[in-house]
Amino acid sequence: MSPERGVLLGETVVIDDVGPARRGRAYPTIGTTTALLLPAALLLGGLVLWPVLRTGHASVTAEGDFVGLEHFRTALADDGWSVLGRTLLWAMVVPTVVTALGFVLAAASRRSSGGRIVTLILVAPIALPLVVTGVTFRLLYDPDPERGTATWLTGALWLGPELITIALMSAFVWAWVGLAVLVFRAAFDALPLALADAVRAYGGTRLDVFRDARWRPLLRRTVAIVFALVALATSRTFDLILVMAPGSVIDEAMVAPVRVWQTSSGTVTGPSAALGVLWLAVVLLGMLAAALWTRQAWPPPAPGAPVRETGSEWRAPRLVRRLLPPAAAVWWAIPFVVLVATSLHAPRDAATRGWWTGPIGLASYRELFEGGGLTRSLALTAALAAVVTVTVLVVALLAAYALAWVSPPGAQAAGVVLLGAAVVPVQVLAGPVTEVLDRAGLAGTFVGLALVHVALGVPFAVLVLRNALADVPLARVRRARLAGRREWSVLARLAPATVPAVVAVCVLEFVQVWNDFVVGLHFGGPDAVPLGLALYGQTRQFVSNSGLVAAGSVVASVLPLLLVIAFRRQVVGGLVSGALR
């Protein structure tokens, strides 16, 4: 902006025009607003919104003719209703278990000795690719007691039809409880202690203090946030099921993500489109309900504000604080031990012996890197994650600034669209996106993979960065606009205030692309085999390749594990503020 100068009572004054734009204002120009929003709009329109509409159209038409609900009846025939029911079961049972465990463990470990170490152990599974989680728990549940730790301990566990869903759910709970612990720990630290003093001053009991000064102001909202995040994340059971469930029992573990993939085969078909529409409707309704139920009931302390410690602060019972955190840490560490120990056995020993027997060495790692296939996948995944992260950050920053401070017409509606786009399952988009990439000659290429990842990552990144930019004090925006001639320079001056959000976006996006399996499966090709897809190829002969699969899983886990542990606070802040605000 170029500030205007005038004369008032003989003195030069600066007439600045800051604040949200209104319809009909000459500043900022339509061209500037369009330039800020165009990259995100093109990506989302071409690779998210149009594919959703294409899927919806295919669900009610056949060769261009309207067929009504015929495809829906076909999709729900046989076991279609049981597939939807099992999908909803996942979305209810797993979040309930994760939320309850996360709350108890956060309360127990918050002031316990060694709480930091316990938290790190519980958080570590968040960083692992779900393919790696599936490999780890398949090793645990191996039906041969000579190899399967759980089977050896109980003599009764195997991956049969009766227990496959329970085994899959246990793996998912192990992977996600750490996130719940972090979110609840942050909520405990943000509780307004002055409110507890007020409740006690009016004669409130400990139960009253918990209900009126803990649960209603903040913890109820936190419970809703954790439940919603995990419920939406259960759409990613795809990875676990394909890795953990043997072909003989996969029908007993079937959920919507796998069925849509099986029936579409990378193309747009009527029944798969109909099932995808039903699944997408459930996901969007769940997202809407979560957004409505997670309103802030009490403002948390300002960032950096000291948290007052009091002797009457609510804590878990002493026995729980002493026993539960170390027990949970040991339990959560066992899968890591099994995975690493298996990787340190030679391929033959890993296939025939338990991880607790036999000599250890690096033979599986040496064999893993022979031929250079894994090295190429590692290099491609690292390059893909870096390119996608930078692109998402640039595109999202431009759009987030426009939505936060330029405020074009429809900015509020754009926020709702972004929130919906952030939770659209990949399988629903796979067929139409493949058509787009085929027409552009990008199917199965590095560029095609990158474009899909960018389109999927932009909505969440825009939400996080928009919230961060909207929180910048108005005075700082005023100074930036007085000093800058164009919106680009204003954004550059405001960017330092968004560093925590930028870090969250970069870490989350890099880890998401690094850990990806489903996008690589749908859109990869012979010359574009990301790491998750390479690991999955090894699992097809799981027992004979268990040493190599374990070694590859360890290699794939190191970088995301370091990033998530180092930046866990920013990761949680980005998840909570950006996804549901």
Side-chain angles (χ1 to χ4, degrees):
M1 169 185 172
S2 180
E4 298 180 8
R5 293 182 179 273
V7 177
L8 180 64
L9 298 179
E11 297 291 336
T12 301
V13 297
V14 177
I15 305 173
D16 67 300
D17 189 12
V18 298
R22 295 186 297 272
R23 191 184 299 272
R25 285 176 56 173
Y27 172 82
T29 64
I30 295 177
T32 300
T33 305
T34 302
L36 290 169
L37 292 174
L38 186 60
L42 289 175
L43 284 166
L44 294 180
L47 296 177
V48 178
L49 299 182
W50 181 85
V52 168
L53 296 176
R54 174 74 175 91
T55 299
H57 179 265
S59 69
V60 294
T61 60
E63 298 181 355
D65 297 326
F66 180 76
V67 296
L69 300 178
E70 179 182 336
H71 293 319
F72 290 88
R73 287 191 288 267
T74 302
L76 295 176
D78 299 328
D79 65 340
W81 284 108
S82 64
V83 169
L84 279 180
R86 195 176 294 112
T87 305
L88 292 175
L89 181 70
W90 268 89
M92 296 301 296
V93 173
V94 173
T96 300
V97 175
V98 169
T99 303
L101 275 177
F103 182 88
V104 172
L105 290 172
S109 63
R110 188 178 174 218
R111 297 288 180 246
S112 67
S113 57
R116 185 181 297 274
I117 296 176
V118 171
T119 301
L120 289 178
I121 294 175
L122 295 175
V123 168
I126 299 174
L128 303 185
L130 276 180
V131 171
V132 172
T133 300
V135 168
T136 303
F137 275 76
R138 189 163 178 182
L139 291 171
L140 277 170
Y141 290 126
D142 193 296
D144 188 345
E146 293 294 326
R147 295 189 303 271
T149 304
T151 309
W152 176 75
L153 288 173
T154 66
L157 290 179
W158 68 94
L159 291 180
E162 303 85 358
L163 295 176
I164 183 62
T165 297
I166 296 176
L168 289 165
M169 286 184 174
S170 68
F172 203 89
V173 169
W174 179 81
W176 277 82
V177 159
L179 173 68
V181 171
L182 282 181
V183 174
F184 279 118
R185 287 282 293 269
F188 281 128
D189 291 340
L191 285 171
L193 299 179
L195 192 58
D197 295 338
V199 174
R200 280 189 290 267
Y202 280 91
T205 64
R206 290 178 67 90
L207 180 59
D208 294 327
V209 170
F210 176 78
R211 184 184 62 239
D212 297 329
R214 306 290 188 245
W215 176 256
R216 289 178 179 173
L218 192 59
L219 292 181
R220 180 174 62 184
R221 176 178 182 265
T222 306
V223 166
I225 288 174
V226 172
F227 189 96
L229 287 174
V230 180
L232 292 173
T234 56
S235 63
R236 296 185 60 201
T237 52
F238 183 86
D239 307 42
L240 283 178
I241 292 174
L242 288 192
V243 174
M244 284 185 64
S248 58
V249 298
I250 195 169
D251 287 340
E252 283 72 20
M254 186 66 62
V255 291
V258 179
R259 176 55 55 85
V260 172
W261 171 68
Q262 284 184 336
T263 56
S264 67
S265 301
T267 60
V268 183
T269 64
S272 68
L275 186 58
V277 167
L278 292 174
W279 178 28
L280 179 60
V282 172
V283 171
L284 293 178
L285 286 174
M287 178 272 297
L288 180 62
L292 293 176
W293 291 345
T294 55
R295 296 174 181 176
Q296 181 68 59
W298 185 272
V307 177
R308 180 169 58 85
E309 301 273 349
T310 66
S312 58
E313 180 186 3
W314 182 81
R315 298 185 185 183
R318 180 177 298 178
L319 185 62
V320 174
R321 295 201 309 271
R322 287 184 175 180
L323 297 181
L324 186 59
V330 172
W331 193 255
W332 251 250
I334 288 175
F336 286 108
V337 173
V338 171
L339 180 67
V340 174
T342 303
S343 74
L344 292 175
H345 283 67
R348 183 180 180 84
D349 291 336
T352 56
R353 298 182 176 184
W355 59 267
W356 57 90
T357 62
I360 62 174
L362 300 177
S364 289
Y365 287 92
R366 286 194 293 268
E367 186 170 331
L368 181 70
F369 283 97
E370 287 180 358
L374 184 67
T375 302
R376 287 191 294 272
S377 291
L378 279 170
L380 180 139
T381 304
L384 184 66
V387 169
V388 170
T389 300
V390 172
T391 307
V392 166
L393 181 61
V394 173
V395 172
L397 265 176
L398 297 177
Y401 173 72
L403 295 176
W405 286 105
V406 177
S407 299
Q412 294 298 323
V416 176
V417 172
L418 287 168
L419 193 56
V423 298
V424 174
V426 176
Q427 292 88 340
V428 175
L429 308 174
V433 170
T434 300
E435 292 178 353
V436 173
L437 295 179
D438 279 336
R439 291 175 184 175
L442 298 175
T445 67
F446 178 94
V447 176
L449 274 177
L451 283 174
V452 175
H453 275 297
V454 171
L456 295 174
V458 161
F460 178 79
V462 172
L463 290 172
V464 174
L465 295 171
R466 181 199 62 179
N467 292 338
L469 285 166
D471 287 339
V472 175
L474 180 59
R476 183 164 185 171
V477 180
R478 184 183 297 271
R479 290 195 300 270
R481 282 189 167 166
L482 289 174
R485 292 180 176 275
R486 297 183 180 277
E487 293 295 318
W488 319 103
S489 60
V490 176
L491 174 57
R493 287 175 169 82
L494 296 183
T498 66
V499 168
V502 168
V503 171
V505 166
C506 290
V507 171
L508 288 168
E509 190 60 36
F510 189 95
V511 170
Q512 173 68 26
V513 178
W514 181 276
N515 290 349
D516 170 70
F517 165 64
V518 64
V519 174
L521 180 65
H522 282 92
F523 307 109
D527 297 325
V529 182
L531 187 56
L533 195 58
L535 287 177
Y536 174 67
Q538 294 282 352
T539 64
R540 295 179 180 177
Q541 301 292 329
F542 191 85
V543 173
S544 59
N545 286 341
S546 56
L548 300 178
V549 172
S553 298
V554 171
V555 171
S557 302
V558 172
L559 183 56
L561 190 61
L562 292 175
L563 286 174
V564 168
I565 289 178
F567 299 101
R568 60 189 181 278
R569 296 175 189 243
Q570 291 87 345
V571 168
V572 171
L575 284 171
V576 175
S577 67
L580 296 171
R581 182 169 171 176

